[in-house]
Amino acid sequence: MESEHTLMEIAQEISQCKKCGLAGTRKNAVPGEGPSNAEIMLIGEGPGFYENEQGRPFVGQAGKFLNELLKNGGLNREDVFITNVVKCRPPGNRDPQDVELAACAGYLERQIEAINPLIILTLGRFSMARYFQTAKISAIHGRASWMDGRLIVAMYHPAAGLHQPNLKADIMSDFALLPGFIEKARSERDRQQAESEPASEDRQEDATQLSFF
Ligand code: URA
Ligand code: SF4
């Protein structure tokens, strides 16, 4: 499959990348994993200790919690594509820096283009900032916005739920909204496709604004 091949090429480039300083301290780059035709893509922050060891995303404690959250949202981890805004571990799990985010952004953009997911879940504030530059995660978590043919949903980072028990309930209820988001996103894409077909003039104009529903 075409997109699968593209993703493999991107992963290959990432594994040898030296575009930022994180290359010097990584053990394994973590390109991401999941089906090349995934309907849902998750974007986290960056690899932690275990991810750096194994070269796979979300395999530590936060990953275990993420698997649980996905299950509660009616999804299997195997069905979603999971990656991060930076593909190499920031030492000591510090925040990724602006230069690192900028150096790495092209890989994520190409992954999104290849997969063309219907829904993107941003996990935490660094991936949220790609879509909602000035938003506060405490204000928009669990809310969705239709952008350029897909639904973007801002979620708290799973690690936040592990470290701050008062956020755990919020994260769980945000993920429980997923089945509804999937249904709405599918019908919005269908509606837009029907609209772009020639017979669309005959259709009733009932476009609903999907911003932050
Ligand atoms: N946290 C992240 O943001 N990404 C991972 O891959 C693991 C933990
Ligand atoms: Fe390259 Fe991204 Fe790794 Fe930096 S974090 S070395 S840009 S793959």
Side-chain angles (χ1 to χ4, degrees):
M1 212 203 292
E2 174 76 29
S3 55
E4 196 170 332
H5 181 72
T6 306
L7 287 175
M8 279 170 57
E9 275 182 357
I10 298 168
Q12 182 64 30
E13 282 178 51
I14 290 169
S15 70
Q16 297 167 9
C17 178
K18 292 193 171 139
K19 284 203 230 178
C20 85
L22 297 179
T25 49
R26 75 172 173 232
K27 182 164 180 182
N28 290 296
V30 182
E33 65 186 23
S36 60
N37 62 349
E39 194 174 34
I40 302 176
M41 183 167 177
L42 276 60
I43 308 175
E45 188 173 313
F49 178 84
Y50 292 101
E51 291 77 19
N52 181 53
E53 291 296 312
Q54 297 180 35
R56 296 182 55 211
F58 283 97
V59 290
Q61 282 296 89
K64 287 212 181 84
F65 186 38
L66 178 62
N67 294 349
E68 212 181 291
L69 289 166
L70 287 169
K71 263 233 146 56
N72 288 342
L75 297 170
N76 284 317
R77 179 184 167 116
E78 298 72 42
D79 298 331
V80 302
F81 192 93
I82 307 180
T83 189
N84 288 300
V85 284
V86 293
K87 315 301 192 192
C88 305
R89 183 190 185 207
N93 296 352
R94 64 156 169 76
D95 288 348
Q97 296 169 353
D98 286 346
V99 279
E100 295 156 358
L101 290 162
C104 212
Y107 296 123
L108 180 58
E109 270 150 34
R110 287 162 61 199
Q111 288 173 321
I112 294 170
E113 195 187 340
I115 296 164
N116 188 25
L118 177 63
I119 300 178
I120 289 178
L121 302 189
T122 63
L123 307 176
R125 60 202 165 92
F126 289 98
S127 56
M128 177 190 72
R130 283 181 53 87
Y131 300 96
F132 310 105
Q133 281 84 0
T134 58
K136 273 204 140 77
I137 197 155
S138 56
I140 70 159
H141 70 90
R143 294 166 78 182
S145 199
W146 187 261
M147 278 187 214
D148 295 331
R150 62 180 122 254
L151 199 64
I152 314 294
V153 189
M155 296 293 197
Y156 278 120
H157 195 287
L162 292 177
H163 301 142
Q164 300 167 69
N166 56 325
L167 287 186
K168 192 168 177 179
D170 280 348
I171 299 179
M172 303 221 342
S173 52
D174 288 347
F175 271 80
L177 299 171
L178 277 176
F181 286 144
I182 294 168
E183 205 181 300
K184 280 189 172 133
R186 282 178 184 157
S187 62
E188 179 59 14
R189 190 173 266 186
D190 288 350
R191 193 190 66 75
Q192 292 197 347
Q193 267 163 9
E195 214 170 49
S196 65
E197 279 161 16
S200 68
E201 271 127 9
D202 302 333
R203 287 184 79 247
Q204 257 224 290
E205 259 316 318
D206 61 347
T208 40
Q209 267 293 341
L210 271 181
S211 190
F212 288 126
F213 57 70

